[in-house]
Amino acid sequence: MRGVRMFAVPDVHEVTAAAKALGIHLGADEAILYQKYLVEQLKALDSFLQSRLEEARPPSVHPERAPGYRPSAEEDPLNAWLWKCDIPGVAEGLLAGKTVSFKDHIAVAGIPLTFGSYVMESFVPDFDATVVTRVLEAGGRIVGKNAMNGFTGGFGFGGAIGDYGRPKNPHNPAHVTGGSSSGSGAAVAAGEVDISFGGDQGGSIRIPAAWSGNVGLKPTFGLVSHFGIGFGSDQSIDYTGPMTRGVQDAAAALDAVAGHDGLDPRQGRDVPERLDALSTLTMGMAGVRVGILEEAFESAEDDVRDLVLAAAETMADAGAKVSKVSVPEHLRVGEAATALGAEGSRAVFDTGFFGAFTRTYYPASLIAAVHKMLTLHADVLNPRTKLNYLTAEFSRRNFHGQVYAKAQNVRKSFIKVYDKALTDVDVLLMPTCLMKAPEYDPPTDHLAALEENLMMTTRKAVRNTQPFNYTGHPALAVPCGKSNGLPVSMQLVGRFFDDPLLLRVAYAYEKSVPFADIIAVDTP
């Protein structure tokens, strides 16, 4: 209510303690003076907050929306959905007739945004993420939000974490879907939605795409706006992109949402206004140079290796020029990405989960909700996130920011080695994941569950995905076979903004094999 003080007045002891936590040591008389002027500053801030100044808002398409509902277990046997809704887009467009869903870290106005956590389930955003606006402008029909790993689930890859339970793999419910976009992977694979946008900080689109048998795209860094999407880690390794059953839908989804957006300060001047991947989709792969990245096969399961190499042979038969390439640094780039992920996550939390220091729209209600959650309910963070948060704290204390600085500063050297390989070939080929979807092994007690989540068992899963979050190159997961009823996936990686070429090669591959059989879910 206007005119009512919205802040708690700190006493002298609170000021002294707060200063000490910041490394500032105040004498008794100093603390009295600081408390006096601090209260004056807080009064001014409170007055500004309660003022009726008009705030700019991002546009919304079809702002009048029915609120939707939480589906029952009978309606959602795979536990893939947190919310169902029906928001129609415009009458015509690239996505007309297509159903679309979003991982539940993407804001859709009027629809709950939980980040997979009970403590956020009452929060309803009053704005749309840019990808949501563009989907509606392209004619897509939004049908719901998908389950994900627990709060800030970008640190989880198995797809078995979250307050709302484990999404089940449609190919074999006893196995995980992959995460953190776990519900998206399950819903797309089961044919419950045409397109689902996930989030990817180390493979969290491509891993569930691989283990659930979908096409999954991590676009070139900055190509798709990240405005209105929660950050769980460093913003420089965070992406959103589509998961689909076929390549054409992935290309249409990318064309619909890609391009420069004034609300995302991460986008550079090189980001095009729009993209047209569909126009080159049917050009085939004749003459395209495909390089088999040798280091990316190290420790791969035999059937995974064999099926990806068989896909390379199919590409050669279709006219591609296939050769082997070597990038030894591929086995080390994960160290730098991990360094960013730890301290970057802490910086994100410190600045309200949506960053700071840039001239853009800041979703105040969401920033406040997340800040309150982190202040009052940090215990709900998933174990990997807590570990990264603690690692960041002690990294700061011991290394004083040098780890984060080095991780950012060596990025160009890693980009350079992949760029060099991509001068000799047009596309790099490798397994998306070195293994098929693991079987879900329920923990026996709390400590067993905790250790299961804290162990670095995911490192093998992200070996081939995490590097390209760090470098920014586009990476596309494509189903290339099945073994023991479980999908196997190959990953195509290309030059910056060469996303259309990856989709073109994948589409030509799709037309060269019995793709419908590869992605089919065998029902008992």
Side-chain angles (χ1 to χ4, degrees), residues 5 8 45 52 99 202 264 294 348 364 389 394 426 435 439 441-442 493 510:
R5 190 175 64 207
L45 295 175
R52 294 179 179 174
T99 56
D264 185 355
E294 293 183 295
V348 167
Y389 204 14
F394 284 91
D426 302 307
M435 77 288 282
E439 189 170 359
D441 184 16
V493 175
E510 178 185 304

Side-chain angles (χ1 to χ4, degrees), residues 199-391:
D200 196 313
Q201 299 168 355
S204 291
I205 291 171
R206 291 158 291 157
I207 293 172
W211 287 350
S212 301
N214 303 321
V215 175
L217 175 65
K218 182 205 74 65
T220 298
F221 181 77
L223 179 59
V224 176
S225 172
H226 210 269
F227 170 75
I229 302 175
F231 299 108
S233 184
D234 192 86
Q235 296 183 26
S236 69
I237 58 174
D238 217 343
Y239 303 74
T240 188
M243 266 188 269
T244 61
R245 285 188 298 285
V247 178
Q248 186 168 354
D249 278 353
L254 181 63
D255 282 353
V257 302
H260 191 267
D261 171 36
L263 294 172
D264 185 355
R266 307 180 321 153
Q267 292 184 317
R269 297 178 190 174
D270 51 350
V271 174
E273 287 297 320
R274 290 291 176 186
L275 199 69
D276 190 6
L278 284 170
S279 66
T280 59
L281 196 64
T282 61
M283 291 176 61
M285 67 175 83
V288 175
R289 300 171 299 167
V290 176
I292 298 172
L293 183 60
E294 293 183 295
E295 287 80 8
F297 287 78
E298 184 175 305
S299 302
E301 292 178 350
D302 291 344
D303 49 358
V304 171
R305 181 193 64 240
D306 293 345
L307 284 167
V308 174
L309 291 177
E313 293 180 8
T314 298
M315 292 180 183
D317 292 341
K321 298 179 180 178
V322 178
S323 61
K324 293 182 179 180
V325 297
S326 175
V327 179
E329 293 84 355
H330 182 72
L331 300 177
R332 296 203 58 193
V333 64
E335 298 172 4
T338 299
L340 276 184
E343 290 206 34
S345 66
R346 176 63 189 273
V348 167
F349 296 153
D350 288 348
T351 54
F353 210 59
F354 270 81
F357 317 123
T358 57
R359 300 177 69 168
T360 185
Y361 175 77
Y362 287 84
S365 58
L366 178 54
I367 290 171
V370 173
H371 185 269
K372 288 179 182 177
M373 193 289 303
L374 292 171
T375 302
L376 302 175
H377 304 288
D379 280 338
V380 306
L381 296 174
N382 75 44
R384 288 294 310 159
T385 304
K386 292 177 183 176
L387 179 60
N388 274 275
Y389 204 14
L390 287 167
T391 300

Side-chain angles (χ1 to χ4, degrees), residues 206 296-297 330 430-432 434 461-468 491:
R206 291 158 291 157
F297 287 78
H330 182 72
M430 66 200 78
T432 305
L434 298 173
V462 303
R463 171 87 62 77
N464 290 340
T465 56
Q466 187 182 42
F468 306 108
Q491 182 175 233

